[in-house]
Amino acid sequence: MQFSIGTCAKIDQVAMVRQAEDLGVSHFGVGEGPLLFSDPYQFLALASQQTSTIQLGTMVTNPLTRIAPVTANSMATLNALAPGRTFLGIGTANNALRSMGNRPAKIAELSHSIEVSRELMAGRRVVHKWLGQEREVEFLDKESGFYNVTDHIPIWVAAGGPRGLVEAAKYADAVVYCLGPNVEMIKLVRSKLDKAVADAGRAPGSVKLVSLSWFYQLENGETWEDGVTNGFGSGPISSCITNSGLMNEHRDRLGDSIVDASLTAAQQYLGDPTAPDQPHYLEVWAKYLRGLDPRHRPIITKELVDYWCLYGSPAELREKSALMLESGVDVLQVFLSNPFTAVRDIDNIGRSIIAHA
């Protein structure tokens, strides 16, 4: 089983990457939020020196907070520290840009950034569009150990919505999609991805599907509500926001109930940006991925938790994990939404799921 863990970068918790490696986790990624978390590349560089097998990457960076040559340099430098065990996770961004009051990247901006990063990370020259100019760029000293452009760096693209999925299928090694243990939703995304891969002229199965779920292991006597309070907190709302477009297009297949519930949660979370009493964006994001924001508790229902979260007893976790793999997921991934309980969650993942794979 390939199992990936994502979380925010907290620089004094680098040891949890070694903990994950020892328990059999295959990939570990940290997110990028300049106003929210520690710097991901400093975290990953430290983690590379404390591990030997686990794959390390961003989960995820974006085209706007770092331009493509900078991203490529950071990844190639990390690849020199951990040869052949790095991956570039990238998307249009949510928290990184919205927490600064800015829009996410456009699909075209994401595509260009990936193209430039891919070519640079492979040691090739490429045209970079920036500041209204087109200029050739290339790493200028590939032989002296400044970076590693020999070992391949896979690209994982975080996709949300039909257009993002189609675009990612053109160049990604893996597509990361918010999914829980719902068979119909997984099969829908799998079929969309497989068609997009074929339409792009790529080989069947050449793009892996990486699920992104929210995790909590229930203790004796706990219920789904404890999972929200003590585990994934406000995380499931992110899945609602990311999937709203695709879900609304496929009401007939997914059902009105879950589509309406997800759309409602997304709208309640984001609020009306034109409302005079709309809170400042810094206030909106102040508690992001810090566990449960009490303001969001009424939004998160059992229907949403069951749909988007990998939670339950150890036996239920194993059953749901197997179901997701059987339904079309290639790599199981959970995003740990609270860094202060990540060590506990990693231990539960290793002992309850991976040890029985």
Side-chain angles (χ1 to χ4, degrees), residues 74-113:
S74 295
M75 287 306 307
T77 301
L78 181 64
N79 203 30
L81 295 173
R85 57 185 187 98
T86 64
F87 64 94
L88 170 59
I90 188 168
T92 57
N94 181 30
N95 66 78
L97 289 159
R98 294 189 191 277
S99 64
M100 295 192 289
N102 293 307
R103 65 165 176 83
K106 299 175 181 178
I107 295 293
E109 292 169 331
L110 175 62
S111 298
H112 180 64
S113 179

Side-chain angles (χ1 to χ4, degrees), residues 101-354:
N102 293 307
R103 65 165 176 83
K106 299 175 181 178
I107 295 293
E109 292 169 331
L110 175 62
S111 298
H112 180 64
S113 179
I114 292 173
E115 177 187 4
V116 173
S117 298
R118 179 188 61 197
E119 296 303 297
L120 288 174
M121 292 187 305
R124 295 188 286 264
R125 181 173 297 192
V126 65
V127 174
H128 179 224
K129 301 174 185 177
W130 186 47
L131 298 179
Q133 304 176 107
E134 294 188 7
R135 295 289 186 267
E136 291 184 332
V137 292
E138 181 181 8
F139 288 143
L140 298 178
D141 186 350
K142 297 184 276 287
E143 308 300 330
S144 301
F146 291 106
Y147 19 65
N148 175 0
V149 295
T150 301
D151 294 296
H152 175 63
I153 300 175
I155 296 175
W156 289 23
V157 178
R163 188 181 168 204
L165 201 63
V166 168
E167 194 66 20
K170 297 176 182 177
Y171 40 68
D173 295 284
V175 166
V176 181
Y177 211 94
C178 286
L179 293 167
N182 182 274
V183 172
E184 202 59 44
M185 184 67 181
I186 294 171
K187 288 185 175 180
L188 172 62
V189 174
R190 179 84 255 181
S191 65
K192 291 278 187 184
L193 177 59
D194 289 345
K195 182 181 185 304
V197 169
D199 290 345
R202 302 181 67 184
S206 59
V207 182
K208 293 181 179 179
L209 177 59
V210 182
S211 59
L212 190 155
S213 308
W214 306 92
F215 176 84
Y216 183 68
Q217 178 174 301
L218 296 180
E219 303 300 327
N220 290 336
E222 288 190 324
T223 69
W224 70 272
E225 294 171 302
D226 296 300
V228 177
T229 303
N230 303 325
F232 33 75
S234 306
I237 303 173
S238 295
S239 298
C240 297
I241 295 171
T242 301
N243 280 290
S244 57
L246 180 71
M247 295 182 76
N248 203 35
E249 286 187 6
H250 295 279
R251 285 178 170 271
D252 56 336
R253 182 166 179 176
L254 301 176
D256 287 334
S257 179
I258 189 59
V259 174
D260 288 338
S262 296
L263 292 177
T264 298
Q267 292 164 356
Q268 289 178 335
Y269 178 82
L270 294 174
D272 179 3
T274 64
D277 59 347
Q278 180 72 6
H280 194 279
Y281 54 84
L282 291 176
E283 296 175 20
V284 171
W285 291 93
K287 294 185 179 180
Y288 181 70
L289 294 186
R290 304 294 195 277
L292 177 65
D293 185 335
R295 295 175 298 175
H296 302 152
R297 185 63 191 84
I299 304 175
I300 306 171
T301 65
K302 186 175 188 299
E303 184 178 23
L304 295 177
V305 169
D306 288 346
Y307 205 84
W308 299 119
C309 301
L310 183 59
Y311 82 103
S313 67
E316 290 170 332
L317 290 172
R318 291 191 289 274
E319 181 180 347
K320 290 178 180 180
S321 297
L323 180 66
M324 293 178 73
L325 292 170
E326 291 167 3
S327 301
V329 170
D330 297 307
V331 181
L332 289 171
Q333 177 173 235
V334 299
F335 201 94
L336 304 180
S337 59
N338 188 344
F340 303 101
T341 57
V343 170
R344 173 203 68 192
D345 293 335
I346 293 169
D347 188 63
N348 284 337
I349 290 165
R351 298 180 187 282
S352 296
I353 300 176
I354 299 176

